[in-house]
Amino acid sequence: MSETLQLAHQLISRRSLTPADDGCLDIIGARLAPLGFSLEKMRCGEVDNLWARRGNAGPLVCFAGHTDVVPTGPLDRWDSNPFTPAVRDGMLYGRGAADMKGSLAAFVTAIEKFIAGHPQHRGSVALLLTSDEEGVAVDGTVRMVEALRQRNEPIDYCIVGEPTSVAKTGDTIKNGRRGSLSGTLTVKGVQGHIAYPHLVRNPIHLTAPAIAELAATVWDEGNEYFPPTSWQISNIHGGTGAANVVPGTVEILFNFRFSTASTVDGLKSKFCAILDRHGLEYDLRWELSGSPYLTPRGNLVDAVSAAIREVTGVTTELSTSGGTSDGRFIAGICPQVIELGPLNATIHKINECVAVADLDALSEIYRLTLVKLLTE
């Protein structure tokens, strides 16, 4: 059993259902302290966070991730206990194996091997770890980033261990993510008896033409790295439950997934202009859960891509698809952020798993990336 597999076993054995850490950070900290890392725990609410750093000089290379996992789902549908790691046919099974305790184990063993081979490396190495990524994500990475910003401790390069690979480890890295802007729109009408349409104003009917225009609107064309911005309705609710009553309001929940080709203010302005053009009376609440970020080709992308090619022979593809990640917070203090981890086919599923061989390959990719950024 390799060092990476052994550590993954230890971490998976911890029932770290979000926002619980259940001792994962202590396990990792015990491996880092003998390497000369200073360990700074940040407890926020029910969330455990860890900032670990070795060195004081730049550039600073940071590995970022989370110890918390999503609920298991029905235990009787798992082939083995989700918190008792099991290896079958070359696959490691357990909740968090792919998302993302396997990556955390690979982080640590990569750092151990790198320091053993380059004890006098230039720059610094750090880990930014939280137990609040799978949950509401308000007391985890965002809090640590705020603390680092306040004391003027920027990060030069960051690798987030999210599972990004599709068919083979390293075939896809995320070099950015779209922003997420949600809204709750309440359109007002006049409630009344459905048999007397001249006495009512049906907000559903009033809103329908605006919905059609919003759905057909081209918000932007995207760019080299991002697809065009999309707008989608996730929920519509109107009515009292009675079949003979026209509702007084209709509530619509919607979301923009937007690229760097658009701005928050621009999307809001364009959205409201369409509503106003249709003469709607409405209330509108906005919630920005993440701004888009992008890391173009440069030192970090080149180093990671070269490491992947040397270890796996794969030419990696850059992608900005998918949902949000904690990279959106880190991008505020780090100009180059990418995500690289194992295959994402089983994440959050029953019988979540990762290939044992992929864990060792991932560790070697992370190690080579450190070599390229801090020694060459």
Side-chain angles (χ1 to χ4, degrees):
M1 189 181 292
S2 72
E3 287 287 318
T4 306
L5 180 57
Q6 289 182 46
L7 182 52
H9 266 247
Q10 286 183 274
L11 296 174
I12 292 170
S13 297
R14 299 290 178 154
R15 296 178 58 85
S16 56
L17 293 168
T18 190
D21 168 70
D22 197 30
C24 291
L25 293 178
D26 290 335
I27 293 172
I28 293 172
R31 299 282 287 259
L32 298 176
L35 304 177
F37 278 82
S38 61
L39 307 179
E40 181 181 355
K41 282 193 172 182
M42 302 181 188
R43 174 81 176 180
C44 300
E46 297 181 341
V47 176
D48 290 299
N49 304 303
L50 176 65
W51 173 248
R53 177 167 180 165
R54 182 183 195 269
N56 298 306
L60 170 57
V61 180
C62 176
F63 293 98
H66 59 91
T67 61
D68 58 322
V69 298
V70 297
T72 63
L75 292 176
D76 59 1
R77 293 182 56 195
W78 284 76
D79 293 337
S80 55
N81 188 306
F83 295 108
T84 303
V87 176
R88 298 189 297 272
D89 299 323
M91 304 296 293
L92 171 63
Y93 289 85
R95 177 56 87 221
D99 188 14
M100 57 178 289
K101 293 181 177 180
S103 295
L104 299 184
F107 284 165
V108 173
T109 57
I111 291 170
E112 289 173 336
K113 294 172 186 174
F114 170 71
I115 293 175
H118 305 276
Q120 302 302 319
H121 64 84
R122 66 189 182 92
S124 303
V125 181
L127 286 94
L128 190 157
L129 305 176
T130 182
S131 65
D132 184 34
E133 195 274 344
E134 298 290 9
V136 293
V138 297
D139 285 324
T141 298
V142 64
R143 298 293 189 195
M144 288 191 286
V145 167
E146 289 173 1
L148 294 174
R149 181 187 287 113
Q150 288 176 3
R151 66 196 194 200
N152 194 27
E153 190 174 357
I155 300 168
D156 295 288
Y157 308 111
C158 184
I159 300 172
V160 184
E162 290 292 345
T164 60
S165 302
V166 178
K168 187 174 182 179
T169 292
D171 62 3
T172 305
I173 62 175
K174 305 286 187 183
N175 67 317
R177 293 277 190 165
R178 294 174 296 174
S180 179
L181 175 64
S182 297
T184 301
L185 171 66
T186 303
V187 178
K188 303 175 183 179
V190 176
Q191 180 177 321
H193 197 294
I194 204 164
Y196 298 91
H198 60 289
L199 299 179
V200 302
R201 294 180 67 244
N202 192 318
I204 300 175
H205 294 182
L206 295 172
T207 307
I211 291 175
E213 182 174 349
L214 290 165
T217 296
V218 177
W219 303 95
D220 59 49
E221 299 291 343
N223 54 39
E224 176 186 359
Y225 296 102
F226 285 98
T229 291
S230 69
W231 177 80
Q232 294 290 326
I233 290 175
S234 59
N235 188 278
I236 297 180
H237 175 74
T240 64
N244 61 351
V245 179
V246 170
T249 62
V250 61
E251 183 180 77
I252 300 172
L253 308 183
F254 63 89
N255 178 265
F256 284 100
R257 290 301 165 105
F258 64 104
S259 72
T260 52
S262 286
T263 65
V264 172
D265 288 342
L267 292 174
K268 288 181 177 180
S269 177
K270 197 171 182 178
F271 183 87
C272 290
I274 293 173
L275 300 182
D276 295 340
R277 188 158 54 249
H278 288 270
L280 300 180
E281 182 182 358
Y282 61 90
D283 292 324
L284 182 56
R285 301 195 311 273
W286 295 99
E287 180 181 356
L288 177 66
S289 58
S291 296
Y293 71 90
L294 175 67
T295 298
R297 295 185 183 277
N299 292 346
L300 182 57
V301 170
D302 291 348
V304 173
S305 299
I308 291 170
R309 190 164 50 249
E310 290 180 35
V311 175
T312 68
V314 169
T315 298
T316 193
E317 295 185 2
L318 302 181
S319 173
T320 58
S321 64
T324 59
S325 79
D326 277 4
R328 69 190 188 275
F329 304 128
I330 300 168
I333 60 169
C334 179
Q336 298 188 48
V337 180
I338 65 99
E339 300 170 34
L340 168 63
L343 272 63
N344 56 25
T346 65
I347 60 175
H348 293 200
K349 293 184 178 181
I350 302 293
N351 290 325
E352 179 181 352
C353 60
V354 64
V356 171
D358 287 352
L359 292 179
D360 292 327
L362 195 58
S363 176
E364 181 62 9
I365 291 169
Y366 292 150
R367 186 193 70 82
L368 273 178
T369 300
L370 287 173
V371 171
K372 295 178 183 300
L373 292 174
L374 297 182
T375 66
E376 295 181 357

